[in-house]
């Protein structure tokens, strides 16, 4: 169910990409054991297409990983997942500096992947 985007510099081979997405998928599936529907979108960028600190191509493109996931995963499972994703990206791109962002959504949003619409309101649950 997680949907992820990995913005990266161009240049790694298809074999390395396959290894990377398999490692990311396994880490996500371990933390979010839902039916298989993990989507990983690799978006590759040339240095002249990325501005860092207002300068085009001023330094190597640093990867950015954004994931949209359901709420409710155990905090230790999330930490383990983030370590595994971090290790996979560092191994693939040999760039130790990058960012990971995680946006969690209530499970009610995930009912239908065909109608993926993020919400900012909290879902209130009746107290027992």
């Amino acid at each position: 169910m997680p949907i992820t985007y990995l913005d990266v510099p161009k240049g790694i081979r298809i074999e390395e990409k396959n290894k990377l997405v398999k490692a990311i998928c396994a880490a996500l599936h371990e933390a979010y054991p839902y039916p298989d529907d993990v989507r990983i979108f690799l978006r590759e960028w040339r240095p002249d297409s990325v501005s860092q600190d207002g300068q085009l191509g001023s330094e190597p493109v640093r990867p950015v990983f954004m994931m949209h996931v359901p709420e409710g995963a155990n905090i230790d499972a999330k930490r383990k997942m983030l370590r595994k994703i971090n290790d996979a990206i560092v191994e693939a791109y040999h760039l130790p500096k990058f960012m990971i962002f995680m946006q969690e959504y209530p499970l009610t949003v995930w009912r239908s992947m065909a109608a993926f619409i993020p919400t900012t309101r909290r879902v209130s649950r009746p107290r027992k």
Side-chain angles (χ1 to χ4, degrees):
M1 235 188 267
I3 297 172
T4 66
Y5 301 90
L6 179 56
D7 291 284
V8 292
K10 282 188 167 207
I12 69 169
R13 297 180 322 218
I14 191 70
E15 298 83 14
E16 293 167 316
K17 288 179 191 178
N18 278 321
K19 184 177 178 183
L20 173 64
V21 296
K22 285 180 183 182
I24 292 172
C25 185
L28 286 162
H29 191 67
E30 190 175 326
Y32 300 95
Y34 296 102
D36 290 339
D37 192 13
V38 173
R39 298 177 190 193
I40 302 167
F41 295 92
L42 291 177
R43 300 186 291 200
E44 297 180 307
W45 300 93
R46 295 186 332 249
D48 65 353
S49 296
V50 177
S51 167
Q52 292 180 176
D53 298 325
Q55 301 282 325
L56 282 174
S58 62
E59 56 185 274
V61 177
R62 287 183 252 160
V64 176
F65 186 70
M66 172 57 115
M67 61 182 125
H68 300 273
V69 295
E71 288 179 334
N74 174 285
I75 189 70
D76 291 327
K78 285 193 262 188
R79 287 183 181 130
K80 185 176 179 181
M81 172 194 68
L82 290 171
R83 268 191 239 97
K84 288 181 177 184
I85 290 171
N86 179 76
D87 292 347
I89 295 171
V90 168
E91 182 180 337
Y93 289 95
H94 309 288
L95 296 169
K97 292 183 178 182
F98 66 92
M99 294 179 276
I100 297 178
F101 297 95
M102 181 168 51
Q103 178 67 51
E104 294 182 311
Y105 296 93
L107 285 173
T108 55
V109 174
W110 292 90
R111 281 192 305 234
S112 170
M113 290 307 290
F116 178 73
I117 302 170
T119 181
T120 56
R121 68 179 173 80
R122 289 261 182 215
V123 175
S124 60
R125 294 181 180 95
R127 292 187 179 185
K128 293 182 180 180

